[in-house]
Amino acid sequence: QVQLVESGGGLVQAGGSLKLSCAASGSIFAIDAMGWYRQSLGKQREVVAVITSGGTTSYADSVKGRFTISRDNAKITVLLQMNSLKPEDTAVYYCYADHVYGRLWGQGTQVTVSS
């Protein structure tokens, strides 16, 4: 069974940077969009960034100019570079990949930004 495996979360001070990585553990055909959501305690899951198979990106207003999403189609990997982190970025971050059979989700990785 194919899974998305995330890494790169952790604890960082405000103003710092983290890079999240999400890679497929097996082969997945016809991957379309990939991206990241996050969920803070007591809040609904929200989209953070999305990248299409053609490389078009979109971001939540709250992270524009600070976060950068990228992907490697050959390795079925999506990355999220997070700079100038703020305490309000604290959340569990989930990656996903859309393919012909539906949507795959990663297990989530905790990002904590201290003030």
Side-chain angles (χ1 to χ4, degrees):
Q1 185 176 356
V2 179
Q3 294 180 324
L4 296 179
V5 180
E6 302 172 9
S7 61
L11 173 63
V12 66
Q13 287 188 332
S17 299
L18 282 174
K19 188 171 188 176
L20 304 183
S21 176
C22 172
S25 61
S27 297
I28 312 174
F29 295 103
I31 294 291
D32 190 5
M34 301 182 76
W36 294 87
Y37 276 70
R38 67 186 180 187
Q39 187 166 21
S40 305
L41 195 62
K43 295 185 179 180
Q44 288 188 329
R45 191 175 293 192
E46 60 176 355
V47 62
V48 175
V50 180
I51 184 167
T52 68
S53 57
T56 300
T57 59
S58 60
Y59 298 90
D61 287 342
S62 59
V63 307
K64 281 180 182 176
R66 300 189 296 121
F67 290 11
T68 302
I69 189 171
S70 60
R71 65 189 281 172
D72 183 330
N73 290 329
K75 297 180 180 178
I76 314 178
T77 299
V78 61
L79 305 174
L80 187 67
Q81 177 67 48
M82 305 185 294
N83 299 328
S84 302
L85 282 162
K86 304 175 181 180
E88 52 263 44
D89 294 319
T90 294
V92 178
Y93 285 71
Y94 299 89
C95 68
Y96 74 89
D98 288 334
H99 61 99
V100 64
Y101 298 115
R103 173 168 288 187
L104 276 175
W105 287 96
Q107 80 283 2
T109 186
Q110 177 70 46
V111 171
T112 302
V113 184
S114 62
S115 57

